Every structure is written in C-alpha cells, then in structure tokens.
Amino acid sequence: MSTGTTDPADRVDTGPRQEAQHTQPPPDPGHGRSHGPGPGGEPDKPAEDPLFGPATGSDSDSAGKAGRSAASGAEARIAREAREAFSLHDASTYIGGTIGSVNFGYGGFQGLIAGPLPEEELDRLRRRFSKPPSYDAFKERLREDRLLVLSGQPGTGRMYTALSLLDDVSLGKVSRLDPGSDLTTLGGEGSAVAEDHGYALEPAGGVLPEELHLDRLCRLLAERRSYAVLLAVPDAGDPGARRARYYRAHEQAPADAVLDSHLKAELDDEKPEVKATALRVAERAEVRGALGLESLLPAEAARLAALLARHVTGGLTEGRLIAECRTFAAEQVRQWFAGGARAEELPALRDAAYRIALAVLGNSSFSTVADAAEQLVWELAVTVEPERVIGRPLLSDGLAARLTSARATAELTARTLVADHDIPVRTVRFRGKGLAPAVLTHLWEHHHNMRGPVLRWLDALCQDPRADVRTRAAVAAGELCRLDCAHTVSELLHPMAAADQARRGLFVATALESVLGDGQVGPALRSLVKRWGAGSDGNLRWTAAAVLSRGTATATVAEALGTLGRIGTWEEGRLRVIAAESVVHLAGAASDREPLARIRGWLSDERRPHQDLGLIAAVLLAQFRVEDLWNPAPELTGRERWPLALAMAAARSERAPEIAGLLWTALNTGRSYESALDTLAGWLRRCRGKPWERELLRFLPLLVHSADDGQRLLSLIKELSEDPDDPLGPEQGRRLRQAVPEVRNP
C-alpha cells in the first residue's frame, strides 16, 4: 500500500522467515519418511523480527525463535477442547463370587483340570443372568456341535454366557477348566472329560489351539455326551469371530438389563421402592460423571449394582459411592496394561500404543490417531528390543478392531481443515471421559519404563505440521507434568523451552497453561517461568513470553505486562514481537484497560525499544482476530471472526477511542506506517457483508483528527476502489467515504 508518504529507510521490513536444521527422529517404517516437518523445517526464534527489520544488539546465542509465534485460532480452540478430555482427574471377566478369575500363573497341564461349579453359584447365576443378543442361536449351535467358542473382549460377560449355556444344556452339571489346561493333549483313557457334563474354559492369554485340536475335542465331547464353551479374545484386526465353524462373536447384554437383574438379586429381601431408589441414584449426573464411562460392560454394571445396593441400604455413604465410581475407568485401564507373557509382543504393543494415542489425540481423525499410534509402536518396540526393525500391518488392522480394543467410537464431525472451511471428518474418541486421564495416570504411576518412549513420541508430535496434533500433544504433556512435574520438565519441557524452534516454545506454553494453576505444582512452575523471563538465555525468555500470553503464569495482569515489557525491550528489543503478541493476547482476555494503558505508556516513552514494543502491539491489536486469542474475554463471545480491535470496541464502547488512538499512532509513525495501513486496508476490503461492517463505519471517524488523517483514509478508499484486480463495490466505497468525517486543519 503506497498511500501517504514516509521515509523509505524507516518503513517496515517484512523479511523472510528463517529456517532451522534439527535432528530428525527415527524413520517412519510405514511411509518411508521422518516424523518431522517437510523440507523447510521449523521456523526458528530469530534475531530478526518481521515488522521492523533486523533488531539491533542480537547475537548468535539464541538467534532463532521467530518473533511471531504463528499460533492460529484453531490451536486455541483445539487446546480448550483437548483439556476437556482431562477434566476428570473392568472388573473380573466373570461376575459374581470367585468364579471366572483368570489365573495366568499356571503352565500347560496334560489333559484337563476341572472344578465343579457349586450349586449356590449356579443359583446365583440363574437369578442374575441377562441374555445377550444371539443367546438362543448360541444354545442351538452348542446342542448341535457340543463345542462353542465365544470370541469377544474381556468384561463383556462371556463367562456368564458360557456358564448359563452349559447350565441349560447339561442340566446343572457344570465345571470350570483351569486356565492352564492344555487342549492339545486330549484323548485316551486319561482324559478328564466326564459324561453328560458341561465345561467352560478361558485359556491363559486368551489363545486357543488350532482348529484340528478343537476337532479332536469336539469328537471327544460327542463320545461322552458332554459340552464345552471356550472363550477367546479376537486377534488384532478382527473385531469379532475369526473362524466360522466353532467361533461366534459375543455381544454383551444391555447394561441396563444387567444392572436391573443384579439389583433385583441384591435387594431381593427389600421393598420394591428400594430398588427404584437405587435406579434413580444410578441415573444421577454426579454418579454418571464419576463413572467416566458412557456405557457399562456387564461386569461393571454388576459391580455398580452391588455398590448401589449397599448405598440404598445404608452400608455406603454417598461420598464413598462416588469415590468407588471414580475407580471404574482406572480399573479398565489397569486391565489394558496388566502385562503378562504376551504384553511386549508386537500385537499387544500395537493395542497399547493405540490406546495411548487415543488418550492424547482423542477427537482427532481416525487416520491421525492411527498414524500417531504407529509412530508410538516404533518407539515401544525399539525400547523393548533396540535392534528390532518393524513394519506396519496392512490388512490385519482395521477400524472396527481398533475401536473395539480401545473401547472407542467413531463419529462424523465438522472440522476446519481446508482453507478455513469446515469439512466432515471421521473422528475417534473413547466412550467415556474417564479413560483418557486414567491411561496417562496409570502409565506414569505404574510403568516407569514407558515414560521414555512416550516422551520421545510427544516430542516428535510437536514437530507435526498439523495444529490438531501438536496442540493435543502439548495438552497431554501438561497433564504428565501434573503427575510428575520434575521428571516431565527436566526430560521434555525445559529442553523444548531452550530450543531454537518457535514451535517448541509454543508447545511448552500450551502444556503449562492449565498446570500453572495447579495447587501442588503451579507455584513451582510459575517461579520457573519467572526465572526463564529474567535470565540471559534468549530462547528461554522467548518461551516465557509465550507462556505469559496465556494469563495463568502470574497473579495479576500488571505483573505479566511488566515482565513482557522487560522481555520486549531486552537487548534493544530483540524479542519485541513475541512480547507484543503476548500483550495483545492479554488485552483480548482482560476485563480492565490495563493492557491498553500499558501499550500507550510504551508509545509515550522516549526510549526507542519501548516505542517499538508499543507500535508492534498496536499493529497486532488490529491484525488479530478474536479467534486467534488463547483465552478471549467472555464479552467477545459470538465475535470470533471479527478483527480484535473492532470486537473490543463494540464490546467496550467506552474504550473505542483509546483503541483507535493506538492504531492512529501506528499510522502516524514512519516505521509502523506500512503495516498499520495494510491492516486498515484489509479491514476495508473484507468488511462488505460482514457482521462487523457497521462497527468499522463507527470506528473510522475515531481515526480522523486532522485533515491529513481524513485525506489519508479517502485516498486509501479511492485506491482500493480503483484496484484493477479486486475493486471495492460502488456501494461499499460510498458507505466507507461517508464514514470519513471532514476535518479542517487549524
């Protein structure tokens, strides 16, 4: 924009962005590329800011971090959404008594070791059992073949279904087989298969022998007129039953039906209204919220029924009931990461990696979560076996299997991914808000050796070009900092804060934003940020400024502004742009005028670095949109696509002259003139048909204090109207010209 006259030597120089070389993480075996950014690398935190040309006094110590943080409005929205996933800081496979406990300690035995089911347990089963879908078809198949394999996830009531089926067909003669029983050695006189009997088996590790051994078992059962139901867990990539002959996919009974039947049995001696009270308690928002699960597995529904029965009969206080409900999600996660002989084999590592990726990136697209999980699988596999080289499965790892193994769901959601337009995306998330925080808590508290690969993986996600990925990873890093502050800061956040790349500094700021308010670790972290901001390392000062932009690092806004003023004028203004940007974030979040007054104070200061800091802040206040703010003030709600300065003027009309005065100063200062005029031209060009057009027409007169001011605006409108490529419409130009008041010079 050439309207007006300025000294060319004093104009803004928007120099090229600098790039940085950085160490690449291990190669991605699935795609043959690195986890890092494209050929351009990451923008550094440079000693040259993009508004006023090279900053004086810089040296090579921290040459690098870009003045502008380059954070988008999408990142602020994503960060708020991701934090909601951590707002909430499987019982036995068989429900009831000691039946169905899985013992992984035994090795394989020759033949079968069976224990008859006590009559009282069978009676308990008959009173509490709720039929799952396809129960009658299962029973018909069992009568015909005498052998049935129920394939499904633990906790879905498979053992209850197996025992009920066997009770029906064998008339109460039911035994459980030891989990270590070896089905490959059956046959002959030594077999333990009795006549007219039913057997249930859940093998250790959920693995059954090949079909030829099942054929032998089937023949033996037919000879003895007996039955057997075996339990299996689907292979990776198989959401249900993998073989048609004996295998059948097991679906759980409706949780409400299981809860109702168990409450009826638990409260058999109580009045009917007691059960009704228990059901009402189960529907309370505080109980459902404490559970942290959208729907319960049969085992969980049975456990909840026992707790509700104790509560309504006076055996459990409401506080204790809520506390017990909060352990449900943690118990599911404990089962997921329980370990065992096969826990560090590749299929199990892939399941673990997907659950962790979903905890960190929940509500992202399925492809994003799946790709991140594969990167984590690589980290886990090389940690277990450093010389290991792994690939990616192609056809044996599908969506349905992943959702089932992680207790997740897929939804079609609108996401702003292409040119600021919302497009439908298939996103995935846990079926319950309690699972994501439970996953991170369990790993950090019970599996120390998982920390290294997970932190390296988060570091790699920081380099991802997608805001959705790196922002959610940063929020998760903040939660890990809450769990073990010293370890997470020393191993991940402090090295990132000291790095050259701006993206790493923003990662730290996002990670610390909510943790700074934590009662236990917040004071220490606020002291750390204060030390960064006062130190001699330019990169740490840059990161401190980014953290201060979130408004949680200091007790008052005035304290944050004071620190930003010192950072922005340090070494003749080397970090003035990131400091000014943080001031603008605070201005859009604050309810008082302190940030605006501080900008005006810098503009009035005789020292050049302070003036430059104020000028950049004034220009950025006009360049920002409300959606670019990390934490916009409540009164700006509904104006997300507005220019920030206009939104603030509309929401706080008494401050409109003060806001306009800051932009007027930038327009009348040679070294900020071009940037300020370009920003104003952008308003004039984009305002047509926008909700904020009327506010712009009210704002323009506040920029006119002399005939020269008015002439500058009219010349700009004329230039835009005569643009051969994209002219203003005649009506739009007329409205803008009418908004410019006529002022005569004295």
Side-chain angles (χ1 to χ4, degrees), residues 727-738:
L728 298 180
E731 182 61 25
Q732 182 185 5
R734 183 189 64 80
R735 288 196 303 271
L736 293 174
R737 285 190 296 272
Q738 288 180 345

PDB file of all heavy atoms in Angstrom, residues 727-738:
ATOM      1  N   PRO A 727     -11.545  -4.589  -7.114  1.00  0.00           N
ATOM      2  CA  PRO A 727     -12.000  -3.275  -6.639  1.00  0.00           C
ATOM      3  C   PRO A 727     -13.136  -3.394  -5.627  1.00  0.00           C
ATOM      4  O   PRO A 727     -13.884  -4.372  -5.614  1.00  0.00           O
ATOM      5  CB  PRO A 727     -12.487  -2.594  -7.924  1.00  0.00           C
ATOM      6  CG  PRO A 727     -12.928  -3.732  -8.789  1.00  0.00           C
ATOM      7  CD  PRO A 727     -11.995  -4.870  -8.479  1.00  0.00           C
ATOM      8  N   LEU A 728     -13.250  -2.372  -4.783  1.00  0.00           N
ATOM      9  CA  LEU A 728     -14.407  -2.283  -3.899  1.00  0.00           C
ATOM     10  C   LEU A 728     -15.654  -2.026  -4.729  1.00  0.00           C
ATOM     11  O   LEU A 728     -15.607  -1.347  -5.767  1.00  0.00           O
ATOM     12  CB  LEU A 728     -14.226  -1.141  -2.894  1.00  0.00           C
ATOM     13  CG  LEU A 728     -13.054  -1.212  -1.917  1.00  0.00           C
ATOM     14  CD1 LEU A 728     -13.056   0.028  -1.018  1.00  0.00           C
ATOM     15  CD2 LEU A 728     -13.128  -2.472  -1.072  1.00  0.00           C
ATOM     16  N   GLY A 729     -16.788  -2.551  -4.285  1.00  0.00           N
ATOM     17  CA  GLY A 729     -18.033  -2.265  -4.969  1.00  0.00           C
ATOM     18  C   GLY A 729     -18.424  -0.810  -4.808  1.00  0.00           C
ATOM     19  O   GLY A 729     -18.061  -0.158  -3.825  1.00  0.00           O
ATOM     20  N   PRO A 730     -19.171  -0.249  -5.753  1.00  0.00           N
ATOM     21  CA  PRO A 730     -19.559   1.171  -5.678  1.00  0.00           C
ATOM     22  C   PRO A 730     -20.290   1.516  -4.381  1.00  0.00           C
ATOM     23  O   PRO A 730     -20.011   2.537  -3.757  1.00  0.00           O
ATOM     24  CB  PRO A 730     -20.461   1.360  -6.907  1.00  0.00           C
ATOM     25  CG  PRO A 730     -20.060   0.257  -7.843  1.00  0.00           C
ATOM     26  CD  PRO A 730     -19.670  -0.897  -6.981  1.00  0.00           C
ATOM     27  N   GLU A 731     -21.214   0.656  -3.985  1.00  0.00           N
ATOM     28  CA  GLU A 731     -21.978   0.939  -2.771  1.00  0.00           C
ATOM     29  C   GLU A 731     -21.096   0.839  -1.534  1.00  0.00           C
ATOM     30  O   GLU A 731     -21.205   1.656  -0.604  1.00  0.00           O
ATOM     31  CB  GLU A 731     -23.159  -0.035  -2.670  1.00  0.00           C
ATOM     32  CG  GLU A 731     -24.055   0.185  -1.463  1.00  0.00           C
ATOM     33  CD  GLU A 731     -24.699   1.570  -1.456  1.00  0.00           C
ATOM     34  OE1 GLU A 731     -24.858   2.159  -2.548  1.00  0.00           O
ATOM     35  OE2 GLU A 731     -25.027   2.057  -0.360  1.00  0.00           O
ATOM     36  N   GLN A 732     -20.212  -0.137  -1.530  1.00  0.00           N
ATOM     37  CA  GLN A 732     -19.301  -0.285  -0.399  1.00  0.00           C
ATOM     38  C   GLN A 732     -18.382   0.928  -0.288  1.00  0.00           C
ATOM     39  O   GLN A 732     -18.169   1.482   0.796  1.00  0.00           O
ATOM     40  CB  GLN A 732     -18.465  -1.557  -0.550  1.00  0.00           C
ATOM     41  CG  GLN A 732     -17.514  -1.826   0.616  1.00  0.00           C
ATOM     42  CD  GLN A 732     -16.635  -3.030   0.368  1.00  0.00           C
ATOM     43  OE1 GLN A 732     -16.679  -3.616  -0.717  1.00  0.00           O
ATOM     44  NE2 GLN A 732     -15.848  -3.415   1.355  1.00  0.00           N
ATOM     45  N   GLY A 733     -17.834   1.377  -1.428  1.00  0.00           N
ATOM     46  CA  GLY A 733     -16.975   2.560  -1.422  1.00  0.00           C
ATOM     47  C   GLY A 733     -17.715   3.801  -0.945  1.00  0.00           C
ATOM     48  O   GLY A 733     -17.165   4.631  -0.211  1.00  0.00           O
ATOM     49  N   ARG A 734     -18.984   3.948  -1.356  1.00  0.00           N
ATOM     50  CA  ARG A 734     -19.766   5.110  -0.936  1.00  0.00           C
ATOM     51  C   ARG A 734     -19.969   5.117   0.579  1.00  0.00           C
ATOM     52  O   ARG A 734     -19.816   6.162   1.241  1.00  0.00           O
ATOM     53  CB  ARG A 734     -21.121   5.107  -1.658  1.00  0.00           C
ATOM     54  CG  ARG A 734     -21.992   6.333  -1.348  1.00  0.00           C
ATOM     55  CD  ARG A 734     -23.390   6.164  -1.922  1.00  0.00           C
ATOM     56  NE  ARG A 734     -24.093   5.038  -1.291  1.00  0.00           N
ATOM     57  CZ  ARG A 734     -24.682   5.122  -0.095  1.00  0.00           C
ATOM     58  NH1 ARG A 734     -24.632   6.244   0.599  1.00  0.00           N
ATOM     59  NH2 ARG A 734     -25.304   4.075   0.398  1.00  0.00           N
ATOM     60  N   ARG A 735     -20.313   3.945   1.154  1.00  0.00           N
ATOM     61  CA  ARG A 735     -20.528   3.879   2.602  1.00  0.00           C
ATOM     62  C   ARG A 735     -19.250   4.218   3.364  1.00  0.00           C
ATOM     63  O   ARG A 735     -19.280   4.910   4.392  1.00  0.00           O
ATOM     64  CB  ARG A 735     -21.020   2.486   3.004  1.00  0.00           C
ATOM     65  CG  ARG A 735     -22.446   2.182   2.594  1.00  0.00           C
ATOM     66  CD  ARG A 735     -22.987   0.976   3.339  1.00  0.00           C
ATOM     67  NE  ARG A 735     -22.166  -0.219   3.139  1.00  0.00           N
ATOM     68  CZ  ARG A 735     -22.347  -1.088   2.158  1.00  0.00           C
ATOM     69  NH1 ARG A 735     -23.321  -0.872   1.263  1.00  0.00           N
ATOM     70  NH2 ARG A 735     -21.587  -2.151   2.036  1.00  0.00           N
ATOM     71  N   LEU A 736     -18.120   3.731   2.870  1.00  0.00           N
ATOM     72  CA  LEU A 736     -16.856   3.999   3.552  1.00  0.00           C
ATOM     73  C   LEU A 736     -16.494   5.484   3.469  1.00  0.00           C
ATOM     74  O   LEU A 736     -16.030   6.083   4.452  1.00  0.00           O
ATOM     75  CB  LEU A 736     -15.743   3.140   2.950  1.00  0.00           C
ATOM     76  CG  LEU A 736     -15.858   1.623   3.179  1.00  0.00           C
ATOM     77  CD1 LEU A 736     -14.776   0.879   2.399  1.00  0.00           C
ATOM     78  CD2 LEU A 736     -15.752   1.292   4.671  1.00  0.00           C
ATOM     79  N   ARG A 737     -16.704   6.100   2.302  1.00  0.00           N
ATOM     80  CA  ARG A 737     -16.379   7.528   2.169  1.00  0.00           C
ATOM     81  C   ARG A 737     -17.265   8.385   3.072  1.00  0.00           C
ATOM     82  O   ARG A 737     -16.809   9.362   3.680  1.00  0.00           O
ATOM     83  CB  ARG A 737     -16.521   7.963   0.706  1.00  0.00           C
ATOM     84  CG  ARG A 737     -15.388   7.483  -0.194  1.00  0.00           C
ATOM     85  CD  ARG A 737     -15.463   8.156  -1.557  1.00  0.00           C
ATOM     86  NE  ARG A 737     -16.679   7.791  -2.282  1.00  0.00           N
ATOM     87  CZ  ARG A 737     -16.784   6.730  -3.075  1.00  0.00           C
ATOM     88  NH1 ARG A 737     -15.742   5.937  -3.240  1.00  0.00           N
ATOM     89  NH2 ARG A 737     -17.913   6.473  -3.701  1.00  0.00           N
ATOM     90  N   GLN A 738     -18.529   7.985   3.187  1.00  0.00           N
ATOM     91  CA  GLN A 738     -19.443   8.745   4.036  1.00  0.00           C
ATOM     92  C   GLN A 738     -19.061   8.651   5.510  1.00  0.00           C
ATOM     93  O   GLN A 738     -19.394   9.548   6.297  1.00  0.00           O
ATOM     94  CB  GLN A 738     -20.884   8.245   3.842  1.00  0.00           C
ATOM     95  CG  GLN A 738     -21.496   8.643   2.507  1.00  0.00           C
ATOM     96  CD  GLN A 738     -22.918   8.125   2.362  1.00  0.00           C
ATOM     97  OE1 GLN A 738     -23.352   7.254   3.109  1.00  0.00           O
ATOM     98  NE2 GLN A 738     -23.644   8.687   1.386  1.00  0.00           N
TER      99      GLN A 738
END
